[in-house]
Amino acid sequence: MIIHAPDCRIVAGRRKTTETSNFGVSKREGHDSSKFYGRKLYYNNKGDVSIGSAENTVPPEYVDRILCKSSQKMNELPDSCIHLAVTSPPYNVGKIYDQDLTLAEYRQLLKAVFSEVFRVLVTGGRACVNVANLGRKPYLPIHSYVIADMLDIGFLMRGEIIWNKGSSAGASTAWGSWQSAANPSLRDTHEYILVFSKGSFSHAASTRQDTISKEEFLSYTKSVWEFPAESATKAGHPAPFPVELPYRCIQLYTFRGDFVLDPFCGVGSTCVAALRAGRHFLGYDTKQEYVDSALRRISKEDMT
């Protein structure tokens, strides 16, 4: 017997819902996925957890500021005051701001910062972490280490976005053995944006206002994003990410007036994106020259 997957049809003035079938469904409006989440695959995989929903406010002296200090201890901030964290941590590959850490030390550094991020996020708050994998001999799957450590902290994973940098990724010649199966290497033209939530997948809307357009929503909810990388020379930073990246995360995951944090602020791309989207921001960086560059960029935004 052939089992046809149900679809969503309007029946007697209302939409007929779908449910998980042997062959899946083509649409998801009103979809009942309880059968899928009831399978053994999801045993012991926690969903929403009860950790309280109270929100605190960021002290006024830290609203729309960039601090020159480590984000391993964000003592300035109370618990549960940030709605979204967007960041790209240092890659520990020898950039001028990098320390020469072992893999274990590097993971410990990131885990210390992301533990603080977890503390300051509100229930339902999100964290978007832009990372790239490293090396070839062997290949270091940094994104998988970050996922494991974030889950260990207590984050819920929402998904991952592939940032396809396309031609802007550069004309790399690190292809290994040329036109030979002896030892060819893959040339990465993508990075990851890993998306997590604290405590709940939902972020209480109450009276908050969305600012995302229909076209943006349809585009940003796809798991592959394509836009060019930022020029390091133009940005004044060895590894900048384009404003487009945090802007998309901010539009998709926050409401107008929400508070956005970047614990590895660099030259302030996240802060600029927050300003453009009508959100507040707080950034941290340990190098004064990058803080100064970020403040100059923000001043230019304020004048436009």
Side-chain angles (χ1 to χ4, degrees):
M1 179 178 68
I2 298 175
I3 301 175
H4 294 284
D7 57 10
C8 285
R9 297 185 177 90
I10 303 300
V11 179
R14 62 186 178 86
R15 186 181 298 276
K16 182 180 179 181
T17 60
T18 65
E19 63 178 27
T20 303
S21 74
N22 290 358
F23 296 97
V25 293
S26 59
K27 294 187 177 181
R28 292 289 177 181
E29 298 96 332
H31 181 69
D32 178 7
S33 57
S34 58
K35 185 183 295 186
F36 169 75
Y37 288 107
R39 294 183 63 82
K40 292 180 180 179
L41 177 68
Y42 265 82
Y43 283 6
N44 298 321
N45 278 299
K46 59 185 178 181
D48 288 9
V49 294
S50 178
I51 56 174
S53 58
E55 292 189 13
N56 295 307
T57 57
V58 173
E61 61 268 32
Y62 299 113
V63 174
D64 300 337
R65 292 281 307 279
I66 300 177
L67 306 182
C68 187
K69 59 164 291 192
S70 170
S71 53
Q72 293 181 71
K73 293 291 183 183
M74 294 185 275
N75 298 327
E76 305 80 13
L77 297 179
D79 297 351
S80 305
C81 63
I82 298 294
H83 300 99
L84 172 68
V86 186
T87 197
S88 183
Y91 287 172
N92 191 38
V93 292
K95 302 291 186 182
I96 59 174
Y97 53 78
D98 278 335
Q99 304 175 60
D100 186 12
L101 303 177
T102 66
L103 179 58
E105 291 169 337
Y106 176 63
R107 291 180 65 175
Q108 185 177 16
L109 167 65
L110 297 191
K111 196 168 184 180
V113 171
F114 291 134
S115 294
E116 273 290 87
V117 169
F118 186 86
R119 177 183 69 81
V120 301
L121 281 175
V122 302
T123 299
R126 288 77 185 256
C128 299
V129 184
N130 168 224
V131 293
N133 295 332
L134 303 173
R136 293 294 181 273
K137 300 177 181 179
Y139 187 70
L140 296 179
I142 301 299
H143 84 293
S144 67
Y145 300 146
V146 171
I147 290 171
D149 291 339
M150 294 290 273
L151 295 179
D152 189 57
I153 289 168
F155 281 98
L156 305 172
M157 190 163 189
R158 302 182 63 90
E160 62 184 32
I161 299 161
I162 303 298
W163 171 25
N164 177 13
K165 297 185 289 185
S167 60
S168 69
S172 169
T173 58
W175 46 59
S177 56
W178 171 251
Q179 287 189 289
S180 170
N183 188 21
S185 296
L186 298 176
R187 294 178 290 157
D188 290 350
T189 60
H190 73 283
E191 295 184 12
Y192 297 88
I193 304 163
L194 310 173
V195 188
F196 304 89
S197 282
K198 173 184 173 179
S200 173
F201 290 108
S202 298
H203 183 182
S206 62
T207 59
R208 292 183 170 117
Q209 179 186 1
D210 288 297
T211 60
I212 192 168
S213 69
K214 174 184 175 181
E215 292 74 20
E216 286 176 329
F217 187 82
L218 290 173
S219 175
Y220 300 173
T221 51
K222 293 180 179 178
S223 61
V224 178
W225 291 355
E226 187 166 352
F227 48 84
E230 182 87 359
S231 164
T233 302
K234 181 180 178 181
H237 188 279
F241 61 13
V243 173
E244 179 71 13
L245 190 156
Y247 179 82
R248 290 185 180 209
C249 296
I250 290 166
Q251 284 288 77
L252 187 59
Y253 290 119
T254 66
F255 301 102
R256 184 186 298 278
D258 276 357
F259 219 107
V260 180
L261 168 72
D262 189 340
F264 298 104
C265 185
V267 291
S269 295
T270 297
C271 304
V272 170
L275 275 178
R276 292 180 183 177
R279 276 65 163 174
H280 294 294
F281 66 84
L282 177 62
Y284 288 80
D285 203 274
T286 57
K287 288 201 171 291
Q288 188 64 52
E289 61 184 292
Y290 295 149
V291 171
D292 292 341
S293 294
L295 292 174
R296 286 193 293 270
R297 292 180 76 188
I298 290 165
S299 295
K300 291 179 181 178
E301 287 292 318
D302 285 337
M303 291 187 293
T304 58

